[in-house]
């Protein structure tokens, strides 16, 4: 080989290698949003509580302020009259069940694809969970809901998953027509809005999770909002052993109910303080995630045959992930593998489970063999099995996408676009 040929051959090899080189040298992966924004604000809130020696929300050597202030600002932020801080989103769901007086004999319609907490809250209340199919928003399909309504149905759980509001207008219309309550589960969409108003402000009650995987966090935490003073009083009583404290009574213009039955899901001042600092950053966090998602949407929109997850409100959704329909499970899986090779991590829809496919749910496990949920005629006859939600399973198999992070840099989003554009023609 002469010198000129050698130089040409090595240049070609280098070019080939560059084309084959992964888009990223090291893996790019979305992180936990809230904790990346921890700074002197959260630190100061925590130190306030430590120095005051008043870690309990209702009394102590100094008048506690954090949880009450968090509730006040959370209600305002979520465009609702009343907010209640509790220990988790799961606890908030149980408070909602108590507020709605859901119990044995009642049926609650929820999506087949959601988090364990939704199903468990219904069963813990002694009521029967009835699973609806999802649509291509990954959320509860309103037409599936309508088919499942019986005279025992009391509540629809409108869950807004992975930052994306469900078809709320249609759910609200169905609920109105059949005189049903609506619970919005906004655990995965804290900060999202629907038609100009925060999610959670449309239903009879909205619940939020403030656990680490959600928009803002103190590690654990949850909240509930409502405009209905009676629902608020029942929820507040349930999380405080049946009692109702003066500041909450004042907020609704005086207590209307007496002591009742309840658990203890009270939020601590440490949690309240951290969440107060985080809440004041929520808009900033959501803006950053939305901005990053928008870059990716715009950067790949022109790809042939591209079809995104349905977004009932593209402006209000959080942009937690950009998901594409690959039409088959095989192609979606091929996309995941190809993206991994580019060091840009992609994933299937996540953060939820397909309830009717879980062995313990198929077996109708609860706390006791005579648990009321499954004792009614319908409770005995209802089946939880994969063949009860074929559409849900199909949709979740053929979609895949990239999760977003508020701290992604312009280089990060450019690399995501580069990777998707590179692998898309190959899958
Ligand atoms: C996380 C989550 C919950 C429960 O919240 P926790 O704070 O973890 O108890 C409820 N519903 C949905 C949809 C969730 O994603």
């Amino acid at each position: 080989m002469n010198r000129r040929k050698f130089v040409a051959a090595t240049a070609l090899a280098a070019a080939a290698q560059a084309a084959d080189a992964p888009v990223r040298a090291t893996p790019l992966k979305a992180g936990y949003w809230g904790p990346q924004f921890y700074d002197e604000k959260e630190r100061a809130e925590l130190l306030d509580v430590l120095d005051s020696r008043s870690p309990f929300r209702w009394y102590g050597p100094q008048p506690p302020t954090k949880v009450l202030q968090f509730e006040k600002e959370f209600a305002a932020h979520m465009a609702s009259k009343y907010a209640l801080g509790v220990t988790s989103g799961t606890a908030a769901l149980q408070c909602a069940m108590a507020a709605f007086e859901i119990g044995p004999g009642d049926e609650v319609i929820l999506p087949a694809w959601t988090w364990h907490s939704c199903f468990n809250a219904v069963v813990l209340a002694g009521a029967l969970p009835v699973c609806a199919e999802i649509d291509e928003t990954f959320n509860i399909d309103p037409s599936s809901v309508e088919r499942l309504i019986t005279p025992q149905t009391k509540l629809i759980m409108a869950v807004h998953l992975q930052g994306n509001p469900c078809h709320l207008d249609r759910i609200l219309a169905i609920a109105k027509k059949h005189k049903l309550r609506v619970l919005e589960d906004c655990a995965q969409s804290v900060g999202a809005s629907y038609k100009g108003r925060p999610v959670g402000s449309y239903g009879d009650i909205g619940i939020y999770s403030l656990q680490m995987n959600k928009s803002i966090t103190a590690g654990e935490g949850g909240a509930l909002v409502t405009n209905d003073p009676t629902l608020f009083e029942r929820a507040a009583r349930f999380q405080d052993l049946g009692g109702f404290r003066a500041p909450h009574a004042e907020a609704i213009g005086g207590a209307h109910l007496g002591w009742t039955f309840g658990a203890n899901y009270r939020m601590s001042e440490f949690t309240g303080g951290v969440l107060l600092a985080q809440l004041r950053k929520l808009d900033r966090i959501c803006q950053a995630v939305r901005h990053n998602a928008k870059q990716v949407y715009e950067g790949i929109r022109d790809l042939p045959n591209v079809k995104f997850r349905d977004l009932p409100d593209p402006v209000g959704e959080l942009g937690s992930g950009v998901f594409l329909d690959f039409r088959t499970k095989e192609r979606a899986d091929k996309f995941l593998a190809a993206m991994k090779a580019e060091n840009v991590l992609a994933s299937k829809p996540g953060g939820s489970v397909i309830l009717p496919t879980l062995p313990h749910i198929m077996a109708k496990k609860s706390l006791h063999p005579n648990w009321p949920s499954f004792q009614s005629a319908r409770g005995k006859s209802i089946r939880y099995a994969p063949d009860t939600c074929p559409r849900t399973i199909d949709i979740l198999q053929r979609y895949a996408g990239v999760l977003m992070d508020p701290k992604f840099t312009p280089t990060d989003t450019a690399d995501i676009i580069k990777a998707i554009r590179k692998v898309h023609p190959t899958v």
Side-chain angles (χ1 to χ4, degrees):
M1 194 185 285
N2 67 27
R3 187 179 150 73
R4 196 190 308 160
K5 268 193 181 157
F6 175 79
V7 170
T10 37
L12 257 177
Q17 200 187 2
D20 261 8
V23 167
R24 301 277 292 201
T26 55
L28 176 69
K29 185 173 184 276
Y32 304 104
W33 301 359
Q36 296 186 74
F37 289 78
Y38 283 173
D39 61 16
E40 67 281 1
K41 297 279 178 10
E42 283 81 357
R43 190 186 302 269
E45 294 291 342
L46 277 175
L47 290 177
D48 273 357
V49 179
L50 274 178
D51 293 341
S52 74
R53 299 180 193 279
S54 296
F56 178 56
R57 71 164 296 181
W58 291 120
Y59 48 77
Q62 307 272 345
T65 59
K66 302 300 184 192
V67 181
L68 266 175
Q69 185 62 25
F70 166 72
E71 288 174 342
K72 201 174 145 198
E73 293 188 24
F74 195 82
H77 200 101
M78 296 307 171
S80 293
K81 276 192 190 150
Y82 316 111
L84 181 69
V86 291
T87 47
S88 70
T90 306
L93 282 168
Q94 289 178 237
C95 292
M97 293 302 127
F100 288 131
E101 302 185 298
I102 301 285
D106 296 334
E107 295 176 17
V108 176
I109 299 175
L110 76 169
W113 166 251
T114 186
W115 191 233
H116 297 276
S117 317
C118 302
F119 188 93
N120 292 2
V122 179
V123 174
L124 276 171
L128 182 67
V130 177
C131 296
E133 294 266 35
I134 62 165
D135 58 26
E136 301 202 16
T137 64
F138 304 172
N139 295 317
I140 195 162
D141 179 352
S143 43
S144 172
V145 169
E146 197 137 37
R147 285 195 290 275
L148 295 170
I149 295 171
T150 74
Q152 281 68 51
T153 307
K154 207 160 172 183
L155 174 71
I156 304 170
M157 270 195 200
V159 191
H160 310 296
L161 292 170
Q162 290 198 289
N164 190 28
C166 71
H167 284 293
L168 201 47
D169 275 349
R170 289 172 60 199
I171 295 290
L172 293 169
I174 292 167
K176 198 169 172 198
K177 182 171 150 200
H178 296 271
K179 299 195 167 59
L180 303 175
R181 297 284 208 169
V182 174
L183 167 63
E184 284 182 79
D185 178 337
C186 316
Q188 295 183 17
S189 296
V190 182
S193 65
Y194 178 77
K195 302 197 173 171
R197 243 169 61 200
V199 291
S201 66
Y202 287 91
D204 297 283
I205 288 180
I207 73 97
Y208 306 81
S209 168
L210 308 160
Q211 187 268 344
M212 186 170 69
N213 296 82
K214 319 301 168 98
S215 305
I216 53 171
T217 191
E220 296 275 12
L224 173 156
V225 300
T226 182
N227 290 324
D228 181 324
T230 305
L231 291 179
F232 180 77
E233 184 171 349
R234 287 202 206 110
R237 285 186 182 278
F238 182 73
Q239 58 92 53
D240 201 1
L241 303 160
F244 197 47
R245 312 269 177 166
H248 280 163
E250 277 158 31
I252 64 162
H256 298 287
L257 313 165
W259 263 91
T260 182
F261 178 82
N264 170 8
Y265 298 133
R266 291 179 305 235
M267 183 182 280
S268 90
E269 285 287 283
F270 289 114
T271 299
V274 171
L275 289 176
L276 195 52
Q278 286 265 286
L279 179 60
R280 292 168 180 168
K281 297 171 183 172
L282 178 60
D283 284 341
R284 180 147 60 91
I285 294 172
C286 295
Q287 247 167 36
V289 181
R290 282 193 181 105
H291 172 82
N292 291 339
K294 187 158 181 265
Q295 306 306 306
V296 176
Y297 274 118
E298 294 315 319
I300 60 174
R301 199 178 285 286
D302 64 318
L303 286 170
N305 296 320
V306 78
K307 181 168 162 270
F308 296 119
R309 167 168 66 154
D310 281 354
L311 305 174
D313 185 340
V315 177
E317 75 117 3
L318 282 186
S320 312
V322 175
F323 287 97
L324 295 89
D325 180 5
F326 287 93
R327 276 88 177 181
T328 66
K329 176 183 188 299
E330 291 63 37
R331 287 188 62 218
D333 289 343
K334 219 174 148 194
F335 172 77
L336 295 182
M339 290 291 281
K340 196 167 176 205
E342 299 304 330
N343 267 329
V344 175
L345 292 184
S347 41
K348 289 280 180 79
S352 292
V353 289
I354 308 176
L355 295 166
T357 69
L358 304 180
H360 74 280
I361 287 180
M362 291 197 269
K364 301 183 186 175
K365 289 253 168 70
S366 64
L367 287 175
H368 189 277
N370 294 334
W371 201 257
S373 298
F374 307 112
Q375 295 304 308
S376 66
R378 191 147 146 79
K380 282 189 172 131
S381 70
I382 200 167
R383 254 177 12 95
Y384 303 106
D387 65 11
T388 62
C389 57
R391 254 199 101 212
T392 300
I393 293 170
D394 171 54
I395 290 167
L396 296 170
Q397 280 181 343
R398 60 184 157 83
Y399 273 87
V402 177
L403 299 182
M404 288 297 129
D405 186 304
K407 295 271 190 183
F408 276 165
T409 64
T411 308
D412 294 336
T413 49
D415 285 346
I416 292 170
I417 295 165
K418 210 183 286 172
I420 296 176
R421 296 194 75 91
K422 183 172 166 189
V423 310
H424 195 263
T426 72
V427 301

